[in-house]
Amino acid sequence: MTSIAIVGAGPQMGLAIARTFGSQGFDVALISRNREKLDGLVGTLAAEGITAAAFPADVLDRDALTQALKDAAAQFGGIDVLEYSPVGSFGVIKLTAPAETEPSHVEFEMNFQLYGAITATQAVLPAMREAGAGTLIYTTGAGSIWPDPRVANVNAAAAALRNWAMNLHKELAGTGIQAAHVGIDSSIGVSVIPGVEAAQPQQITPLYWQLHTTKRDEAELVFKLDADGFPRA
């Protein structure tokens, strides 16, 4: 049986990714802070015939995140795919322009995005190396590629994660393990930044399946909407 661990699982992208992989026979490990919300997602997936389980952990707590992934691997016989996409910025920290950004404005995001991703990777990569197979996917907004000065502190950490993920892709070349970055150049569900169009999660998730299956040589896929609101990658 194959399995995917989704770190930062929520009712939009996390649920859509779970459905994309679950519909292909994957067991799904859902990881985020809120046990009640995770249990709701597990119930939703179960009603659709997808096996899922909740493993509550805060990505800022590295020991808890590591243990959650170990527990998921024990329950599902390993983790074949890791997807990392927690969202913690909006409503939690002040979004800053470049000139007003202080180290403290970036510190939270670095811990949340880059350091959390590194911790999660260290928890699953050794087993993937031993198996000679696996997929590691890291998601950020497209500000990691094309910076938006309205969210400079978030972009700085996202760019660091993107750089690290693409370097990991190069390091793992030839090992059977795919590491890649997904950049999402849209809001998800509803627009939260003026001028940034919103896409539905199910429009985006085919990129994740492609990276796991047909585009394993790609270090990055970017989701964009065209002028008519249709997805193009």
Side-chain angles (χ1 to χ4, degrees), residues 72-227:
Q75 179 161 333
F76 291 132
I79 298 298
D80 302 282
V81 180
L82 170 71
E83 193 280 324
Y84 187 88
S85 58
V87 177
S89 304
F90 299 103
V92 177
I93 64 167
K94 178 183 178 181
L95 304 177
T96 61
E100 67 182 49
T101 298
E102 299 178 3
S104 61
H105 296 143
V106 181
E107 183 178 13
F108 174 88
E109 281 297 319
M110 289 294 287
N111 274 293
F112 203 80
Q113 295 198 57
L114 178 61
Y115 303 154
I118 291 172
T119 299
T121 302
Q122 290 177 336
V124 301
L125 184 56
M128 289 183 178
R129 285 190 183 276
E130 185 175 349
T135 301
L136 305 160
I137 304 176
Y138 310 90
T139 304
T140 74
S144 62
I145 309 166
W146 306 295
D148 184 333
R150 294 172 293 182
V151 287
N153 53 328
V154 176
N155 285 177
L161 174 54
R162 173 181 182 252
N163 180 280
W164 180 82
M166 296 179 77
N167 269 328
L168 183 61
H169 174 88
K170 292 180 179 180
E171 179 186 355
L172 294 175
T175 66
I177 304 168
Q178 159 73 325
H181 170 251
V182 172
I184 301 177
D185 192 19
S186 69
S187 295
I188 300 171
V190 296
S191 181
V192 294
I193 299 176
V196 179
E197 295 296 325
Q200 296 307 306
Q202 62 269 24
Q203 294 178 291
I204 305 170
T205 55
L207 274 65
Y208 295 82
W209 187 248
Q210 291 166 16
L211 286 169
H212 178 63
T213 56
T214 61
K215 296 189 176 182
R216 295 188 64 79
D217 291 333
E218 298 288 339
E220 177 175 70
L221 293 180
V222 179
F223 176 88
K224 295 176 66 71
L225 292 171
D226 64 20

Side-chain angles (χ1 to χ4, degrees), residues 8-25:
Q12 297 214 62
M13 281 304 300
L15 180 58
I17 293 169
R19 284 172 165 153
T20 295
F21 282 79
S23 67
Q24 299 295 326

